[in-house]
């Protein structure tokens, strides 16, 4: 699979990592908007003109909303582009299964029924096609976890550790 689809997989993985990093940058921009809102309440530089008073908030929110729209469009393009090789893989698997079934006499050998063959061609090969849609997240999920914990540690300090302990305890309870 890698030899056939290495270019789309590599490009989608790199762009997914960049979008994940961009997601945390957008979170920081939202944090800056909240900070500028707090600062605008603390200092009354322009009490008469509401626009000048909340100018920083409006700029940060406009950057956040515009960047989020662009990020979502790029993510949809990536998932669409990753879906095309997934459909090609699914079609190739269907072809191999049908070629194998054509060589087998169903009357003589009743190990697989027609329902089993249909299940193999439709459901199981479809799972391989669906795997291509989420393949880029194999790389981005660990990055999201690591950067997310780091950002929480920067914001919360040592108060993060009891919260992580509770979270891992609940995860362990749910797992067993």
């Amino acid at each position: 699979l890698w030899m056939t689809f290495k270019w789309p997989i590599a490009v989608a993985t790199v762009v997914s990592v960049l979008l994940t990093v961009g997601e945390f940058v957008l979170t920081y921009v939202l944090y800056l908007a909240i900070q500028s809102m707090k600062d605008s309440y603390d200092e009354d530089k322009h009490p008469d003109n509401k626009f000048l008073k909340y100018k920083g908030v409006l700029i940060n929110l406009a950057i956040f909303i515009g960047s989020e729209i662009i990020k979502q469009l790029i993510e949809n393009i990536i998932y669409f582009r990753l879906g095309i090789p997934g459909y090609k893989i699914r079609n190739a698997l269907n072809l191999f299964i049908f070629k194998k079934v054509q060589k087998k006499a169903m009357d003589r050998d009743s190990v697989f029924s027609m329902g089993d063959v249909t299940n193999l061609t439709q459901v199981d090969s479809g799972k391989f096609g669906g795997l291509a849609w989420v393949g880029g997240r194999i790389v981005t999920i660990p990055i999201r976890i690591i950067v997310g914990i780091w950002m929480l540690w920067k914001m919360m300090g040592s108060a993060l550790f009891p919260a992580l302990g509770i979270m891992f305890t609940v995860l362990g309870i749910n797992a067993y």
Side-chain angles (χ1 to χ4, degrees):
L1 291 176
W2 173 252
M3 296 304 292
T4 306
F5 302 110
K6 64 182 165 189
W7 183 248
I9 292 172
V11 169
T13 302
V14 168
V15 174
S16 293
V17 168
L18 291 175
L19 285 175
T20 300
V21 171
E23 193 173 303
F24 288 107
V25 170
L26 288 178
T27 305
Y28 185 71
V29 168
L30 191 61
Y31 174 75
L32 289 177
I34 293 170
Q35 286 297 329
S36 62
M37 177 70 95
K38 179 181 163 253
D39 293 342
S40 68
Y41 277 124
D42 290 344
E43 1 176 293
D44 271 341
K45 292 181 183 175
H46 307 285
D48 297 334
N49 193 343
K50 296 268 188 199
F51 178 74
L52 291 177
K53 186 174 182 180
Y54 298 115
K55 180 180 170 185
V57 176
L58 294 174
I59 290 172
N60 285 329
L61 286 178
I63 290 171
F64 175 77
I65 291 170
S67 300
E68 188 67 32
I69 290 171
I70 291 170
K71 183 181 78 73
Q72 289 297 325
L73 289 172
I74 292 172
E75 273 186 0
N76 287 337
I77 291 169
I78 287 173
Y79 292 142
F80 174 74
R81 291 291 179 191
L82 278 178
I84 292 172
Y87 286 124
K88 289 180 181 177
I89 292 169
R90 186 192 70 178
N91 292 338
L93 286 174
N94 282 339
L95 177 71
F96 290 138
I97 291 170
F98 276 128
K99 280 187 177 181
K100 184 75 173 178
V101 168
Q102 285 177 345
K103 293 178 183 176
K104 181 180 183 258
M106 290 292 206
D107 295 335
R108 239 180 348 149
D109 192 9
S110 62
V111 175
F112 292 108
S113 67
M114 191 52 80
D116 292 335
V117 172
T118 304
N119 186 31
L120 279 173
T121 58
Q122 298 301 316
V123 177
D124 295 340
S125 63
K127 287 181 182 178
F128 278 102
L131 185 63
W133 285 85
V134 295
R137 294 187 183 185
I138 292 172
V139 175
T140 59
I141 287 176
I143 292 172
R144 285 181 182 197
I145 291 171
I146 291 168
V147 174
I149 289 175
W150 178 75
M151 286 184 75
L152 282 173
W153 180 72
K154 287 301 241 180
M155 292 171 67
M156 294 175 59
S158 61
L160 172 70
F161 299 117
L164 283 178
I166 291 171
M167 182 183 75
F168 287 128
T169 304
V170 170
L171 282 173
I173 292 170
N174 282 337
Y176 297 107

